[in-house]
Amino acid sequence: MNLVEFFRDDIENEMCVPALFELLGVSYTGNRPLALSLCQKKPHAKALLAAAGLPVPRGVVVERGGAPADLALRYPLMVKPAYDDASGGIDAGSVCHSRAELDARVAMVVGEHGMPALIEEYIDGREIHCAILGNDPAIALPLYEMQFKDGSVDNDGRPMPKIITYRAKWDPYSRDYYAMESRCPVDDLSPAVVSNIQAIALRAYQTLGCRDYARIDIRVRP
C-alpha cells in the first residue's frame, strides 16, 4: 500500500517510488507516477481539467518579475505555490484584496518557496470534498465538507478567510486548526447539486488519469 508522499525530503520524488515499483514488477495500490506528478503541478492539472470542459477558476502563473500590470482578474485573489500540495505555502495572507497585497504575496511565494506563484480568482464559497474509490467503475463516495467558523483569526491575529491553510491541516497547536470543522455526509445540498459535484469529481479523476482512490476538492459558489 503506497503511502509515500516524498522521498529525501523532496515532494518531486513522490512519483519515483511507484515508478520503481512498476520497473520491478511490484504490485501497489494508488495512483501511477504520471497522475501523482500532475496533481502536484497545479497549472498543468488545471490546463487538463479546463481542456476537458471542467470548471476551474480563472488564473495566471507568475514567475520572477511579479504579476503583469494589466492583470485581468477579479479581486479578491488567491495566491499559492504552483508546485506544491497539502496546502503548502497557504495561510491567512494567501487571499489578497489589493494590488499591494498581491505583489507582496507573489514576491514571498516566489522568493521563499523557490517556485512560480499561481494566482486565481478566489471563490468565496463552501469547501466540499468528494472521495473517489475504484476503477471499473469508479465510485463517488458521500460528500464531506470543511465548514469554516465565522470570526476566526490565526496565530498572528489576522482574520481567517474561508480556506484550508497549512496550519489548519497539520498544526494542532495553531488557531487555524480550530477555525473549521468537518461534516459528513453533507445533508443540506439538493440531490441535483450533490449529483453534479460527484459527476465533476469523477470526470476530474478520469481526466488526470487517477487510479484506485483520490479526493477531489471543490468550491461551491453561494
Side-chain angles (χ1 to χ4, degrees):
M1 190 169 206
N2 179 27
L3 298 178
V4 174
E5 294 192 353
F6 56 88
F7 188 77
R8 290 181 177 167
D9 294 325
D10 186 350
I11 63 170
E12 290 279 348
N13 287 332
E14 177 186 14
M15 64 170 286
C16 297
V17 175
L20 180 60
F21 292 158
E22 295 200 359
L23 290 174
L24 296 176
V26 176
S27 298
Y28 66 94
T29 63
N31 291 287
R32 300 188 69 181
L34 180 58
L36 290 172
S37 181
L38 280 173
C39 290
Q40 283 185 341
K41 294 176 171 57
K42 298 179 178 73
H44 300 71
K46 277 190 65 178
L48 288 173
L49 295 175
L54 291 164
V56 296
R58 295 198 309 152
V60 64
V61 179
V62 174
E63 300 192 46
R64 298 193 181 279
D70 58 346
L71 189 66
L73 298 175
R74 183 183 66 251
Y75 285 91
L77 296 172
M78 179 83 178
V79 182
K80 61 186 81 169
Y83 308 138
D84 206 341
D85 65 355
S87 292
I90 295 176
D91 59 35
S94 296
V95 178
C96 303
H97 297 83
S98 67
R99 181 69 198 210
E101 290 181 2
L102 175 66
D103 288 342
R105 192 69 191 186
V106 168
M108 188 276 287
V109 168
V110 173
E112 294 187 12
H113 293 269
M115 65 179 70
L118 174 60
I119 304 171
E120 296 176 306
E121 292 183 345
Y122 170 66
I123 299 172
D124 186 9
R126 295 171 66 174
E127 175 98 12
I128 306 293
H129 298 176
C130 182
I132 308 292
L133 188 65
N135 303 300
D136 190 20
I139 298 170
L141 300 183
L143 303 182
Y144 181 102
E145 180 172 13
M146 298 305 298
Q147 291 184 307
F148 304 102
K149 299 176 182 178
D150 293 333
S152 297
V153 297
D154 70 0
N155 286 15
D156 298 319
R158 295 178 296 182
M160 286 291 299
K162 295 177 181 179
I163 60 173
I164 302 178
T165 66
Y166 182 83
R167 281 181 167 178
K169 283 185 177 179
W170 307 111
D171 184 3
Y173 298 101
S174 70
R175 291 178 176 175
D176 300 39
Y177 194 84
Y178 301 97
M180 60 188 186
E181 57 189 10
S182 58
R183 183 166 67 120
C184 183
V186 183
D187 56 10
D188 63 343
L189 293 174
S190 72
V193 172
V194 171
S195 178
N196 188 38
I197 290 172
Q198 290 176 325
I200 289 172
L202 283 166
R203 287 176 59 200
Y205 182 84
Q206 293 156 355
T207 297
L208 296 177
C210 293
R211 183 186 76 170
D212 292 351
Y213 48 81
R215 191 192 74 237
I216 313 299
D217 301 344
I218 292 176
R219 300 286 287 196
V220 182
R221 291 188 181 91

